[in-house]
Amino acid sequence: MQWTDGYYTGTEYTSGYYPNLAPDHLRFVCHAAGVRCRIPDRPTYLELGFGRGVSVNIHAAANAGVFWGVDFNPAHVAHAERLAEASGADVVLSEEGFADFCARADLPMFDVIALHGVWSWISEANRQAILGLIRLRLRPGGVAYVSYNAQPGWSALAPVRHLLELGRDRPAGAAAGVDDPGGVERALDFLKDVVGASPKFFAEVKPAANLASGLPKKNRSYLAHEYLNADWHIPYFADVAGAMAEAKLTFVASARVLDRVNDLNLTPEAVALLDRCKPLELREAVRDFMVNQRFRPDVFVKGLVRMTVAEQERFWAGQAFVLASARDEIVLAVSGALGEAVLPAEVYGPVVDALAAEDYRPKTLPEVVAASGLTTLRTMDAVSALTVLVGMEVLRPARVPSAQEAARSRAYNAHVLERAVTGPALKHLAAPVIGGGLACPRPVQLFLRAWLAGDREASALAASTWAVFQTTGDRAVKNDREMVTPEENLEVLTEMAERFIQAILPLYRALGVLD
């Protein structure tokens, strides 16, 4: 077998950041589910299949501890090492296949082992190697995060992937002469031809037709890695939970916090049925059919111990939270399996306002209730509101970072800001107060870079950003219209810079991105 072991390596994977992998988020998921876990302030953390290394490096920069990562693609490892050198964080990166890495005798005991999506795209032999690693090298009380494409949501969609596979191996056709790593364009051309012939399958299976029509709009590197690997494993939850049980793991909860909110996802009839389903693993397996689950981000613990009621109350009273979005960006609406729901403004409005008060200072649940004026709000309703906001990814668990964590985060961010000028740009900054990443669009990165260089007026920030845009051919956009003249660009960029000064800078200070 070649070193690729069937995994597509023709192009690098996308430079995404995945907040569900953050140690603080995993700790929150466990505690919110009433489960103890062992994720210390200085964890020994392992990410298997780290892609281009953005998540593992942000977490290493923004946290204490030692962060290990393994990926067998040398281009990925080279990119990740560049990020690690920029921050100076304690990162141990390895260019190995899973079987070789898992067989090493020099590995430490880990507090967290995380693999995002990997389970779906590797061979059975590699899955067994990972299970062996978890069984031997995850500490008791440690947490495993395993996300994967899941049934039954993929049952109607898998034939689309089959057609892509067939098309990849067909003659070039319309894709002849096109730069086509991995045969993605050939695969899409073939899929288009099949759909264009009006097959009965796509007429009767609308989800598959919708997927097929949307694929040409996707990033080609994403398509190659998502759909065109030799291994493509789409299990049911019960299969994964059973495999993890062999490694002494017990399911805790979904890392996607909104999955906990029944009103967004389940009808009353479904809730009544699931209440009768015991144990939890059966409930989860049946729930997947209620919501037609397509992707699962599961959190498991090695040695499940339930928190007492007093421990849970102490957790909710003592955990601080901080907004990760500016107040004017937060829309009080959320989507679940049942569609979009509007959150009650009389509760969520004052709660979000309280969290944004005092320049976004992190606050505990009792502080939020007191500051919001909702002193008659039941504790469980306040807990529910904070849980929903965390699930919307506009609110994060907060802590007080050390000076070293703040310094490493800023060193990492300095590298990100320079890449905003020269490319290829990254999309997230390290925020030490949340121990994780913060989405930051490129124009805002350029404003921040200019601010750190000493520019303090909106006009100066706009001029600096426009100078970069001119070298890269970019333009400002307003109301979905790209600006044309220098005057138009400077006007729009100045408006954006004014908002950056007024709304974004206070948030970034609260998150530890700035002093």
Side-chain angles (χ1 to χ4, degrees), residues 306-322:
R306 295 286 177 187
M307 299 167 69
T308 66
V309 172
E311 286 175 323
Q312 291 181 63
E313 290 175 348
R314 187 161 58 247
F315 160 68
W316 281 108
Q319 175 64 60
F321 296 89
V322 64

Side-chain angles (χ1 to χ4, degrees), residues 142-207:
V143 170
Y145 168 87
V146 185
S147 64
Y148 52 95
N149 291 332
Q151 299 286 15
W154 273 97
S155 60
L157 306 176
V160 176
R161 190 261 182 175
H162 180 63
L163 286 173
L164 290 172
E165 269 197 307
L166 295 175
R168 176 189 56 191
D169 299 326
R170 301 279 290 185
V178 175
D179 183 22
D180 190 21
V184 176
E185 297 300 338
R186 290 197 304 276
L188 290 173
D189 279 352
F190 182 69
L191 179 62
K192 179 181 177 182
D193 289 343
V194 173
V195 173
S198 301
K200 192 173 182 180
F201 171 76
F202 286 110
E204 295 183 354
V205 185
K206 293 301 181 185

Side-chain angles (χ1 to χ4, degrees), residues 31-96:
H31 289 170
V35 172
R36 298 178 190 170
C37 69
R38 189 191 184 285
I39 303 180
D41 292 337
R42 300 180 59 86
T44 303
Y45 181 111
L46 170 63
E47 184 177 346
L48 295 167
F50 56 68
R52 302 194 73 209
V54 174
S55 295
V56 70
N57 272 290
I58 285 179
H59 296 148
N63 293 273
V66 182
F67 285 74
W68 289 61
V70 59
D71 197 290
F72 70 173
N73 189 324
H76 291 170
V77 177
H79 183 268
E81 287 178 339
R82 183 183 175 196
L83 298 180
E85 290 167 1
S87 71
D90 199 348
V91 186
V92 182
L93 300 175
S94 177
E95 180 210 333
E96 292 180 272

Side-chain angles (χ1 to χ4, degrees), residues 123-373:
S123 66
E124 177 61 22
N126 277 317
R127 286 192 290 274
Q128 290 301 318
I130 289 172
L131 288 173
L133 175 75
I134 292 173
R135 185 168 53 250
L136 295 174
R137 292 294 176 182
L138 184 66
R139 296 181 192 274
V143 170
Y145 168 87
V146 185
S147 64
Y148 52 95
N149 291 332
Q151 299 286 15
W154 273 97
S155 60
L157 306 176
V160 176
R161 190 261 182 175
H162 180 63
L163 286 173
L164 290 172
E165 269 197 307
L166 295 175
R168 176 189 56 191
D169 299 326
R170 301 279 290 185
V178 175
D179 183 22
D180 190 21
V184 176
E185 297 300 338
R186 290 197 304 276
L188 290 173
D189 279 352
F190 182 69
L191 179 62
K192 179 181 177 182
D193 289 343
V194 173
V195 173
S198 301
K200 192 173 182 180
F201 171 76
F202 286 110
E204 295 183 354
V205 185
K206 293 301 181 185
N210 293 337
L211 176 64
S213 66
L215 288 179
K217 305 171 188 174
K218 300 288 187 181
N219 175 279
R220 292 324 192 233
S221 179
Y222 163 80
L223 292 176
H225 288 268
E226 177 74 33
Y227 291 95
L228 296 177
N229 289 309
D231 292 290
W232 205 63
H233 177 63
I234 313 295
Y236 290 93
F237 165 76
D239 299 328
V240 176
M244 294 300 148
E246 296 175 8
K248 303 182 181 181
L249 297 183
T250 303
F251 175 73
V252 174
S254 169
R256 189 169 45 212
V257 176
L258 289 181
D259 286 351
R260 296 174 53 84
V261 185
N262 285 344
D263 289 346
L264 296 174
N265 299 293
L266 301 170
T267 64
E269 294 80 8
V271 172
L273 171 62
L274 294 178
D275 284 344
R276 299 195 299 271
C277 291
K278 309 292 181 185
L280 176 60
E281 287 78 7
L282 175 61
R283 173 187 170 89
E284 282 295 304
V286 175
R287 183 187 182 281
D288 281 353
F289 283 83
M290 300 299 163
V291 300
N292 195 30
Q293 195 68 268
R294 183 174 167 181
F295 182 81
R296 289 193 60 99
D298 289 343
V299 177
F300 296 86
V301 68
K302 190 174 188 180
L304 186 142
V305 178
R306 295 286 177 187
M307 299 167 69
T308 66
V309 172
E311 286 175 323
Q312 291 181 63
E313 290 175 348
R314 187 161 58 247
F315 160 68
W316 281 108
Q319 175 64 60
F321 296 89
V322 64
L323 287 177
S325 297
R327 176 63 182 95
D328 61 358
E329 294 176 342
I330 298 174
V331 178
L332 298 181
V334 64
S335 295
L338 297 179
E340 186 170 282
V342 176
L343 300 173
E346 66 274 13
V347 173
Y348 281 84
V351 166
V352 174
D353 289 341
L355 288 161
E358 301 176 71
D359 289 333
Y360 297 96
R361 178 182 66 80
K363 302 173 185 69
T364 62
L365 183 149
E367 289 178 304
V368 170
V369 171
S372 69

